[in-house]
Amino acid sequence: MLISLERVTHAFTGGHELFQPITASFARGEMVAVTGRSGAGKSTLLAILAGSLRPSSGEIRWSEECRVCWIAQRPRGVPGRSALDHVALPVLATGARRLEAERRAAELLDRVGLSGASSQPFETLSGGQAQRLMLAQGLAAAPDILLVDEPTAQLDQRTAAEVDAVLGLLAAAELLVMVATHSAATRASCSRELTLEHHVPSE
Ligand SMILES: Nc1ncnc2c1ncn2[C@@H]1O[C@H](COP(=O)(O)OP(=O)(O)OP(=O)(O)O)[C@@H](O)[C@H]1O
Ligand SMILES: [Mg+2]
């Protein structure tokens, strides 16, 4: 098990609990769709899973030395820097030398269907390309857990399908992918669904 949750939920200061407590475990190789209406707490749950927010109630445990990568909804990059550089940087951070990092980055770009765009500056990438670049960048950090927040929300159907196809590939890799989504197509490429149910506060 990579992560286990025991009766985890969250209330922001002054607010009520966002969703009914979750008790569940997640393992390597799973691809989990985190669903629920807008405001249900999906992004909040991702922050908890990333370890950047402590849940107001319940317990969360990660297996030892597990590396988590969290991809925000909006692609972020350095405008003038190439796609390749964006992916090579986190590989360098794992201790690789430049040539090795660039080789690995090129491999990852190929995996997300971006080998043709590797020398393109970030600012010239389309929304779908930028989103796939974020996935390649996330993978470059060699995570055990990849958290993805609504990767297809701002994309047209065809571009969204390209991103979904990449998510499908990730599912086959030996990591745990958890993706917050409203998209039926993204949900369909997942192996499991975690629906955040509205918490009904007692009067
Ligand atoms: N830092 C914060 N402080 C107080 N309230 C917050 C904070 N972050 C989020 N909220 C509130 O918590 C609720 C859940 O927000 P969250 O972003 O997790 O929902 P979501 O399920 O991701 O929604 P969406 O589908 O629209 O992205 C919302 O009502 C939001 O306004
Ligand atoms: Mg959200």
Side-chain angles (χ1 to χ4, degrees):
M1 275 318 133
L2 281 179
I3 307 187
S4 62
L5 306 178
E6 213 183 310
R7 301 202 56 77
V8 168
T9 183
H10 189 72
F12 287 103
T13 318
H16 59 79
E17 289 178 351
L18 292 175
F19 45 84
Q20 285 180 15
I22 300 166
T23 298
S25 306
F26 303 98
R28 220 175 262 285
E30 285 191 291
M31 178 152 162
V32 186
V34 179
T35 60
R37 63 177 172 75
S38 182
K42 299 180 295 297
S43 297
T44 303
L45 179 64
L46 291 193
I48 291 169
L49 293 167
S52 76
L53 177 70
R54 205 189 148 85
S56 63
S57 86
E59 287 285 330
I60 174 162
R61 284 199 188 84
W62 293 266
S63 79
E64 263 172 60
E65 293 189 24
C66 120
R67 203 196 295 250
V68 187
C69 172
W70 181 18
I71 302 178
Q73 184 172 348
R74 266 167 207 280
R76 260 177 242 142
V78 184
R81 252 213 178 142
S82 72
L84 188 81
D85 271 357
H86 281 79
V87 183
L89 213 66
V91 184
L92 283 170
T94 65
R97 299 193 164 215
R98 172 146 294 271
L99 271 181
E100 166 60 16
E102 287 183 355
R103 194 191 55 77
R104 174 91 183 112
E107 236 172 58
L108 287 166
L109 285 177
D110 189 43
R111 208 154 132 201
V112 301
L114 282 183
S115 38
S118 84
S119 58
Q120 252 177 263
F122 180 78
E123 62 190 339
T124 68
L125 299 177
S126 73
Q129 287 178 320
Q131 195 59 258
R132 283 181 286 151
L133 179 65
M134 294 299 104
L135 291 175
Q137 192 180 51
L139 287 173
D144 302 290
I145 302 171
L146 190 65
L147 305 171
V148 195
D149 203 348
E150 303 204 30
T152 58
Q154 279 140 8
L155 306 178
D156 64 70
Q157 232 175 8
R158 186 166 156 210
T159 319
E162 290 169 7
V163 172
D164 282 332
V166 172
L167 287 172
L169 287 179
L170 299 186
E174 278 298 283
L175 71 161
L176 165 63
V177 182
M178 298 191 72
V179 48
T181 187
H182 288 283
S183 150
T186 304
R187 223 160 53 217
S189 39
C190 292
S191 55
R192 186 171 164 189
E193 185 169 352
L194 174 67
T195 305
L196 302 188
E197 306 286 356
H198 187 52
H199 180 75
V200 185
S202 45
E203 298 296 322

